[in-house]
Structure formats: C-alpha cells, structure tokens
Coordinates of all heavy atoms in Angstrom, one line a residue:
M1 N 79.8 126.3 -29.7 CA 79.6 127.7 -29.3 C 80.1 127.8 -27.8 O 79.8 126.9 -27.0 CB 78.1 128.0 -29.4 CG 77.9 129.5 -29.3 SD 76.2 130.0 -29.6 CE 75.4 129.6 -28.1
A2 N 80.8 128.9 -27.5 CA 81.3 129.0 -26.1 C 80.2 129.3 -25.1 O 79.2 130.0 -25.5 CB 82.3 130.2 -26.1
K3 N 80.3 128.7 -23.9 CA 79.3 128.9 -22.9 C 79.3 130.4 -22.4 O 80.4 130.9 -22.2 CB 79.6 128.0 -21.8 CG 78.3 127.2 -21.3 CD 78.8 126.2 -20.3 CE 77.8 126.1 -19.1 NZ 78.2 125.2 -18.1
K4 N 78.2 131.0 -22.2 CA 78.1 132.4 -21.7 C 78.6 132.5 -20.3 O 78.2 131.6 -19.4 CB 76.7 132.9 -21.8 CG 76.6 134.4 -21.6 CD 75.4 135.0 -22.0 CE 75.5 136.5 -21.8 NZ 74.5 137.2 -22.5
K5 N 79.4 133.5 -20.0 CA 79.9 133.6 -18.6 C 78.8 134.2 -17.7 O 78.0 135.0 -18.2 CB 81.1 134.6 -18.6 CG 82.4 134.0 -19.2 CD 83.5 134.9 -19.1 CE 84.8 134.3 -19.7 NZ 86.0 135.1 -19.5
K6 N 78.8 133.7 -16.5 CA 77.9 134.2 -15.5 C 78.6 134.6 -14.2 O 79.8 134.3 -14.0 CB 76.8 133.1 -15.2 CG 76.1 132.8 -16.5 CD 74.8 132.1 -16.2 CE 74.0 131.9 -17.6 NZ 72.7 131.3 -17.4
A7 N 77.9 135.4 -13.4 CA 78.5 135.9 -12.2 C 78.7 134.8 -11.1 O 77.9 133.9 -10.9 CB 77.6 137.0 -11.6
V8 N 79.9 134.8 -10.5 CA 80.3 133.9 -9.4 C 80.9 134.7 -8.3 O 81.7 135.5 -8.5 CB 81.3 132.8 -10.0 CG1 81.8 131.9 -8.8 CG2 80.7 132.0 -11.1
I9 N 80.5 134.3 -7.1 CA 81.0 135.1 -5.9 C 82.1 134.3 -5.2 O 82.0 133.1 -5.0 CB 79.9 135.3 -4.8 CG1 78.9 136.3 -5.4 CG2 80.4 135.8 -3.5 CD1 77.8 136.7 -4.4
N10 N 83.2 135.0 -4.9 CA 84.3 134.4 -4.1 C 83.9 134.7 -2.6 O 84.0 135.8 -2.1 CB 85.6 135.1 -4.5 CG 86.8 134.5 -3.7 OD1 86.6 134.0 -2.6 ND2 88.0 134.7 -4.3
E11 N 83.6 133.6 -1.9 CA 83.1 133.7 -0.5 C 84.2 134.3 0.4 O 83.9 134.9 1.4 CB 82.7 132.4 0.0 CG 81.5 131.8 -0.8 CD 80.9 130.6 -0.2 OE1 81.3 130.2 1.0 OE2 80.0 130.0 -0.8
K12 N 85.5 134.1 0.0 CA 86.5 134.6 0.9 C 86.7 136.1 0.8 O 87.1 136.7 1.8 CB 87.9 133.9 0.5 CG 87.9 132.4 0.9 CD 89.2 131.8 0.6 CE 89.2 130.3 0.8 NZ 90.0 129.6 -0.1
L13 N 86.3 136.7 -0.3 CA 86.5 138.1 -0.4 C 85.2 138.9 0.0 O 85.3 140.0 0.4 CB 86.7 138.5 -1.9 CG 88.1 138.0 -2.5 CD1 88.2 138.4 -3.9 CD2 89.2 138.6 -1.7
C14 N 84.1 138.2 0.0 CA 82.8 138.8 0.4 C 82.8 139.1 1.9 O 83.3 138.3 2.7 CB 81.7 137.9 0.1 SG 80.1 138.4 0.7
D15 N 82.3 140.3 2.3 CA 82.3 140.7 3.7 C 81.0 140.4 4.4 O 80.8 140.8 5.6 CB 82.6 142.2 3.9 CG 81.5 143.1 3.4 OD1 80.6 142.6 2.8 OD2 81.6 144.3 3.7
H16 N 80.1 139.7 3.7 CA 78.8 139.3 4.3 C 77.9 140.4 4.7 O 77.1 140.3 5.6 CB 79.0 138.3 5.5 CG 79.8 137.1 5.1 ND1 79.6 135.9 5.9 CD2 80.6 136.8 4.2 CE1 80.4 135.0 5.4 NE2 81.0 135.5 4.3
S17 N 78.1 141.6 4.1 CA 77.2 142.7 4.5 C 75.8 142.6 4.0 O 75.6 142.2 2.8 CB 77.8 144.0 3.9 OG 76.9 145.1 4.0
P18 N 74.8 142.8 4.9 CA 73.4 142.8 4.4 C 73.1 143.9 3.5 O 72.0 143.9 2.9 CB 72.6 142.8 5.7 CG 73.5 143.5 6.7 CD 75.0 143.2 6.3
F19 N 74.0 144.9 3.3 CA 73.7 146.0 2.4 C 74.4 145.8 1.1 O 74.8 146.8 0.4 CB 74.2 147.3 3.1 CG 73.7 147.5 4.5 CD1 74.5 147.4 5.6 CD2 72.3 147.7 4.7 CE1 74.0 147.5 6.9 CE2 71.8 147.8 6.0 CZ 72.7 147.7 7.1
C20 N 74.6 144.6 0.7 CA 75.3 144.2 -0.6 C 74.8 145.0 -1.8 O 73.6 145.0 -2.2 CB 75.0 142.7 -0.8 SG 75.7 142.2 -2.4
A21 N 75.7 145.9 -2.3 CA 75.4 146.7 -3.5 C 75.1 145.9 -4.7 O 74.3 146.2 -5.5 CB 76.5 147.7 -3.7
A22 N 75.8 144.8 -4.9 CA 75.7 143.9 -6.1 C 74.3 143.3 -6.1 O 73.7 143.2 -7.1 CB 76.7 142.9 -6.0
K23 N 73.8 142.9 -4.9 CA 72.5 142.3 -4.8 C 71.4 143.4 -5.3 O 70.5 143.0 -6.0 CB 72.3 142.0 -3.3 CG 70.9 141.4 -3.0 CD 70.8 141.0 -1.5 CE 70.8 142.3 -0.6 NZ 70.7 141.9 0.8
R24 N 71.6 144.6 -4.9 CA 70.6 145.6 -5.2 C 70.7 146.0 -6.7 O 69.7 146.5 -7.2 CB 70.8 146.9 -4.3 CG 70.1 146.6 -2.9 CD 70.2 147.8 -2.0 NE 71.6 147.9 -1.4 CZ 72.3 149.0 -1.3 NH1 71.8 150.1 -1.7 NH2 73.4 148.9 -0.7
V25 N 71.8 145.9 -7.3 CA 71.9 146.4 -8.7 C 71.4 145.4 -9.7 O 71.0 145.8 -10.8 CB 73.4 146.8 -9.0 CG1 74.2 145.6 -9.3 CG2 73.5 147.8 -10.1
C26 N 71.3 144.1 -9.3 CA 70.8 143.1 -10.3 C 69.3 143.3 -10.5 O 68.5 143.0 -9.7 CB 71.1 141.7 -9.8 SG 70.5 140.5 -11.0
G27 N 69.0 143.8 -11.7 CA 67.6 144.0 -12.1 C 66.8 142.7 -12.2 O 65.6 142.8 -12.2
L28 N 67.5 141.6 -12.4 CA 66.8 140.3 -12.6 C 66.6 139.6 -11.3 O 66.1 138.5 -11.2 CB 67.5 139.5 -13.6 CG 67.6 140.1 -15.0 CD1 68.6 139.3 -15.8 CD2 66.3 140.1 -15.6
R29 N 67.0 140.2 -10.2 CA 66.9 139.6 -8.8 C 67.6 138.2 -8.8 O 67.0 137.3 -8.2 CB 65.5 139.5 -8.4 CG 64.9 140.9 -8.2 CD 63.6 140.8 -7.4 NE 62.9 142.1 -7.4 CZ 63.2 143.1 -6.6 NH1 64.2 143.0 -5.7 NH2 62.5 144.2 -6.6
A30 N 68.7 138.1 -9.5 CA 69.4 136.8 -9.6 C 70.3 136.6 -8.3 O 70.7 135.5 -8.0 CB 70.3 136.8 -10.8
I31 N 70.5 137.7 -7.5 CA 71.3 137.6 -6.3 C 70.4 137.8 -5.1 O 69.7 138.8 -5.0 CB 72.4 138.7 -6.3 CG1 73.2 138.7 -7.6 CG2 73.2 138.6 -5.1 CD1 74.3 139.8 -7.7
T32 N 70.4 136.7 -4.3 CA 69.6 136.8 -3.1 C 70.5 136.5 -1.9 O 71.6 136.0 -2.0 CB 68.5 135.7 -3.1 OG1 69.1 134.4 -3.3 CG2 67.5 135.9 -4.2
Q33 N 70.0 136.9 -0.7 CA 70.9 136.8 0.5 C 70.0 136.6 1.7 O 69.0 137.3 1.9 CB 71.7 138.0 0.6 CG 72.7 138.0 1.7 CD 73.5 139.4 1.7 OE1 72.9 140.4 1.5 NE2 74.7 139.3 2.1
K34 N 70.4 135.7 2.6 CA 69.6 135.6 3.9 C 70.3 136.5 4.9 O 71.5 136.5 5.0 CB 69.7 134.1 4.4 CG 68.8 133.2 3.7 CD 68.8 131.8 4.3 CE 68.1 130.8 3.5 NZ 68.5 129.5 3.8
T35 N 69.5 137.2 5.6 CA 70.0 138.1 6.7 C 70.0 137.4 8.0 O 68.9 136.9 8.4 CB 69.2 139.4 6.7 OG1 69.3 140.0 5.4 CG2 69.9 140.4 7.7
K36 N 71.1 137.4 8.7 CA 71.1 136.7 10.0 C 70.7 137.7 11.1 O 69.9 137.3 12.0 CB 72.5 136.2 10.3 CG 72.9 135.0 9.5 CD 74.3 134.5 9.8 CE 74.5 133.2 9.1 NZ 76.0 132.9 9.0
W37 N 71.2 138.9 11.1 CA 70.8 139.9 12.0 C 71.2 141.2 11.4 O 71.7 141.2 10.2 CB 71.3 139.8 13.4 CG 72.8 139.6 13.6 CD1 73.5 138.4 13.4 CD2 73.8 140.6 13.9 NE1 74.8 138.6 13.6 CE2 75.0 139.9 13.9 CE3 73.7 141.9 14.2 CZ2 76.2 140.6 14.2 CZ3 74.9 142.6 14.5 CH2 76.1 141.9 14.5
L38 N 70.9 142.4 12.0 CA 71.0 143.7 11.3 C 72.3 143.9 10.5 O 72.3 144.3 9.4 CB 70.9 144.8 12.4 CG 70.7 146.2 11.8 CD1 69.5 146.2 10.9 CD2 70.5 147.2 13.0
F39 N 73.5 143.5 11.1 CA 74.7 143.8 10.4 C 75.4 142.6 9.8 O 76.6 142.7 9.5 CB 75.6 144.7 11.3 CG 75.0 146.0 11.6 CD1 74.6 146.2 12.9 CD2 74.9 147.0 10.6 CE1 74.0 147.5 13.2 CE2 74.3 148.2 11.0 CZ 73.9 148.4 12.2
K40 N 74.8 141.5 9.8 CA 75.5 140.3 9.4 C 74.5 139.4 8.5 O 73.3 139.3 8.9 CB 75.9 139.4 10.6 CG 77.0 138.5 10.2 CD 78.4 139.2 10.1 CE 79.5 138.2 9.6 NZ 80.7 138.9 9.2
A41 N 75.0 138.9 7.4 CA 74.2 138.1 6.5 C 75.0 137.0 5.9 O 76.2 137.0 6.0 CB 73.6 139.0 5.4
D42 N 74.3 136.1 5.3 CA 75.0 135.0 4.6 C 75.7 135.6 3.3 O 75.3 136.7 2.9 CB 74.0 133.9 4.2 CG 73.7 133.0 5.3 OD1 74.3 133.1 6.4 OD2 72.7 132.2 5.2
V43 N 76.6 134.8 2.7 CA 77.1 135.2 1.4 C 76.0 135.2 0.4 O 75.2 134.3 0.4 CB 78.2 134.2 1.0 CG1 78.7 134.4 -0.4 CG2 79.4 134.2 2.0
P44 N 75.9 136.2 -0.4 CA 74.8 136.3 -1.4 C 74.9 135.1 -2.3 O 76.0 134.6 -2.7 CB 75.1 137.5 -2.2 CG 75.9 138.4 -1.2 CD 76.7 137.4 -0.5
L45 N 73.8 134.6 -2.8 CA 73.7 133.5 -3.7 C 73.3 134.0 -5.1 O 72.4 134.8 -5.2 CB 72.6 132.5 -3.3 CG 72.9 131.7 -2.0 CD1 71.7 130.8 -1.7 CD2 74.2 130.8 -2.1
I46 N 74.0 133.5 -6.1 CA 73.6 133.9 -7.5 C 73.0 132.8 -8.2 O 73.5 131.7 -8.3 CB 74.9 134.4 -8.3 CG1 75.5 135.6 -7.6 CG2 74.5 134.7 -9.7 CD1 76.8 136.1 -8.2
D47 N 71.8 133.0 -8.6 CA 71.0 132.0 -9.4 C 71.5 132.0 -10.8 O 71.2 132.9 -11.6 CB 69.5 132.3 -9.3 CG 68.6 131.3 -9.9 OD1 69.1 130.6 -10.8 OD2 67.5 131.2 -9.5
R48 N 72.2 131.0 -11.2 CA 72.8 130.9 -12.6 C 71.7 130.8 -13.6 O 72.0 131.1 -14.8 CB 73.8 129.8 -12.7 CG 75.1 130.1 -11.9 CD 76.1 129.0 -12.1 NE 76.7 129.0 -13.4 CZ 77.8 129.7 -13.8 NH1 78.3 130.6 -12.9 NH2 78.3 129.6 -15.0
D49 N 70.5 130.3 -13.3 CA 69.5 130.3 -14.3 C 68.9 131.6 -14.6 O 68.5 131.9 -15.7 CB 68.4 129.3 -13.8 CG 68.8 127.9 -13.8 OD1 69.7 127.5 -14.6 OD2 68.3 127.1 -12.9
K50 N 68.9 132.5 -13.5 CA 68.3 133.9 -13.7 C 69.4 134.8 -14.3 O 69.1 135.8 -15.0 CB 67.8 134.4 -12.4 CG 66.5 133.8 -11.9 CD 66.1 134.6 -10.7 CE 64.8 134.0 -10.1 NZ 64.5 134.6 -8.8
C51 N 70.7 134.6 -14.0 CA 71.7 135.5 -14.4 C 71.9 135.5 -15.9 O 72.0 134.4 -16.5 CB 73.1 135.1 -13.7 SG 74.5 136.1 -14.3
V52 N 71.9 136.7 -16.5 CA 72.1 136.8 -18.0 C 73.5 137.2 -18.3 O 73.9 137.4 -19.5 CB 71.1 137.7 -18.6 CG1 69.7 137.2 -18.5 CG2 71.2 139.1 -18.0
G53 N 74.4 137.3 -17.3 CA 75.8 137.7 -17.6 C 76.1 139.1 -18.0 O 77.0 139.4 -18.7
C54 N 75.2 140.0 -17.5 CA 75.4 141.4 -17.9 C 76.7 142.0 -17.3 O 77.2 143.0 -17.8 CB 74.2 142.3 -17.5 SG 74.0 142.5 -15.8
G55 N 77.1 141.5 -16.1 CA 78.4 142.0 -15.5 C 78.2 143.2 -14.6 O 79.2 143.7 -14.1
K56 N 77.0 143.7 -14.5 CA 76.8 144.9 -13.6 C 77.3 144.7 -12.2 O 77.9 145.6 -11.6 CB 75.3 145.3 -13.6 CG 74.9 146.5 -14.3 CD 73.6 146.9 -13.9 CE 72.7 147.1 -15.1 NZ 71.3 147.3 -14.8
C57 N 76.9 143.6 -11.6 CA 77.2 143.3 -10.2 C 78.7 143.3 -10.0 O 79.2 143.7 -8.9 CB 76.6 142.0 -9.8 SG 77.1 140.6 -10.8
V58 N 79.5 142.9 -11.0 CA 81.0 142.9 -10.8 C 81.5 144.3 -10.5 O 82.3 144.5 -9.6 CB 81.7 142.4 -12.1 CG1 83.2 142.5 -12.1 CG2 81.2 141.0 -12.4
D59 N 81.0 145.3 -11.1 CA 81.4 146.7 -10.9 C 80.9 147.2 -9.6 O 81.5 148.2 -9.0 CB 80.9 147.6 -12.0 CG 81.5 147.3 -13.4 OD1 82.6 146.7 -13.4 OD2 80.8 147.5 -14.4
Y60 N 79.8 146.7 -9.1 CA 79.2 147.3 -7.8 C 79.7 146.7 -6.6 O 79.6 147.2 -5.5 CB 77.7 147.2 -7.9 CG 77.1 148.4 -8.6 CD1 77.1 148.4 -10.0 CD2 76.6 149.5 -8.0 CE1 76.6 149.4 -10.7 CE2 76.1 150.5 -8.6 CZ 76.1 150.5 -10.0 OH 75.6 151.6 -10.7
C61 N 80.4 145.5 -6.6 CA 80.9 144.9 -5.4 C 82.1 145.6 -5.0 O 83.1 145.6 -5.7 CB 81.2 143.4 -5.6 SG 82.0 142.7 -4.2
P62 N 82.1 146.3 -3.8 CA 83.3 147.0 -3.3 C 84.5 146.2 -3.0 O 85.6 146.7 -2.8 CB 82.7 147.8 -2.1 CG 81.6 147.0 -1.6 CD 81.0 146.3 -2.8
H63 N 84.3 144.9 -2.8 CA 85.4 144.0 -2.4 C 85.9 143.2 -3.6 O 86.7 142.3 -3.5 CB 84.9 143.0 -1.3 CG 84.5 143.8 -0.1 ND1 85.3 144.4 0.7 CD2 83.2 144.1 0.3 CE1 84.6 145.1 1.7 NE2 83.3 144.9 1.4
R64 N 85.3 143.4 -4.8 CA 85.7 142.7 -6.0 C 85.6 141.2 -5.8 O 86.4 140.4 -6.2 CB 87.2 143.1 -6.5 CG 87.3 144.6 -6.7 CD 88.1 144.8 -7.9 NE 88.1 146.2 -8.3 CZ 87.2 146.7 -9.2 NH1 86.3 145.9 -9.8 NH2 87.2 148.0 -9.5
A65 N 84.5 140.8 -5.1 CA 84.3 139.4 -4.8 C 83.5 138.7 -6.0 O 83.4 137.5 -5.9 CB 83.5 139.3 -3.5
I66 N 83.1 139.4 -7.0 CA 82.3 138.8 -8.0 C 83.1 138.8 -9.3 O 83.6 139.9 -9.7 CB 80.9 139.5 -8.2 CG1 80.2 139.5 -6.9 CG2 80.1 138.7 -9.3 CD1 78.8 140.2 -7.0
K67 N 83.2 137.7 -10.0 CA 83.9 137.5 -11.3 C 82.9 136.9 -12.2 O 82.0 136.2 -11.8 CB 85.1 136.6 -11.1 CG 86.2 137.2 -10.2 CD 87.2 137.8 -11.0 CE 88.4 138.4 -10.1 NZ 88.1 139.4 -9.1
M68 N 83.2 137.1 -13.5 CA 82.4 136.4 -14.5 C 83.1 135.1 -14.9 O 84.3 135.2 -15.3 CB 82.2 137.3 -15.7 CG 81.5 138.6 -15.4 SD 79.9 138.4 -14.6 CE 78.9 137.8 -16.0
K69 N 82.5 134.0 -14.8 CA 83.1 132.7 -15.2 C 82.2 131.9 -16.1 O 81.0 131.9 -15.9 CB 83.4 131.9 -13.9 CG 84.7 132.4 -13.2 CD 85.0 131.5 -12.1 CE 86.2 132.0 -11.3 NZ 86.5 131.2 -10.1
Ligands
LIG1 S1 75.8 139.5 -14.1 FE1 73.9 140.8 -14.3 S2 72.2 139.4 -14.3 FE2 74.0 138.2 -13.5 S3 73.8 138.4 -11.3 FE3 75.2 140.1 -12.0 S4 73.8 141.9 -12.3 FE4 72.5 140.0 -12.2

C-alpha cells in the first residue's frame, strides 16, 4: 500500500512570517512555530504524526512553500 502524503515545508520559500496562514488553517494544530519577535519567527514545523494529509495548508501558504510528499 502506498504511503500517505503529508505536508512538508520548503524552508527556502518560507518568509518566516509569524502570521503564517498555513499554521492557522490546520485544524489539527500539526503546524507550530516559535516566534522570535513581533515580525520574525522560525520556519513553521509540521508534526508528521499529527498531519493527516488533508492538503489545506498547501492552498493557504502565499509563498507556495508547502508541498505534499
Ligand atoms: S495537510 Fe492538513 S493536517 Fe497536515 S499540516 Fe496541512 S492542514 Fe494540517
């Protein structure tokens, strides 16, 4: 059986915004992010154990930094 695809972030495309839309859209809270200061944050982390592969976050990332792999 093929392995289910899950969300993966391309760190080079991510702008590190603390207002990450993809993070907010994930209803399972599979995407978390540490904020460094008001306008800068770390690259969001995707918990592959929590991610169910719905693909919603892919559509919400304005930089197309998330792909399903
Ligand atoms: S694919 Fe769905 S469950 Fe997985 S991180 Fe994106 S929004 Fe969350």
Side-chain angles (χ1 to χ4, degrees):
M1 196 172 81
K3 226 171 141 184
K4 189 163 186 169
K5 289 185 177 183
K6 298 198 174 183
V8 175
I9 292 186
N10 180 336
E11 295 188 11
K12 288 182 189 149
L13 295 178
C14 173
D15 72 347
H16 301 203
S17 166
F19 309 109
C20 174
K23 177 179 69 181
R24 280 182 278 137
V25 81
C26 179
L28 296 171
R29 298 193 185 279
I31 306 178
T32 55
Q33 186 182 34
K34 281 185 191 161
T35 304
K36 287 181 175 160
W37 52 281
L38 191 55
F39 297 108
K40 201 76 185 169
D42 283 348
V43 173
L45 293 174
I46 299 177
D47 185 333
R48 288 183 72 84
D49 291 332
K50 285 188 184 171
C51 176
V52 293
C54 71
K56 249 194 233 174
C57 55
V58 174
D59 295 333
Y60 276 80
C61 175
H63 303 285
R64 303 223 167 265
I66 305 179
K67 296 261 181 301
M68 302 304 290
K69 283 190 184 171

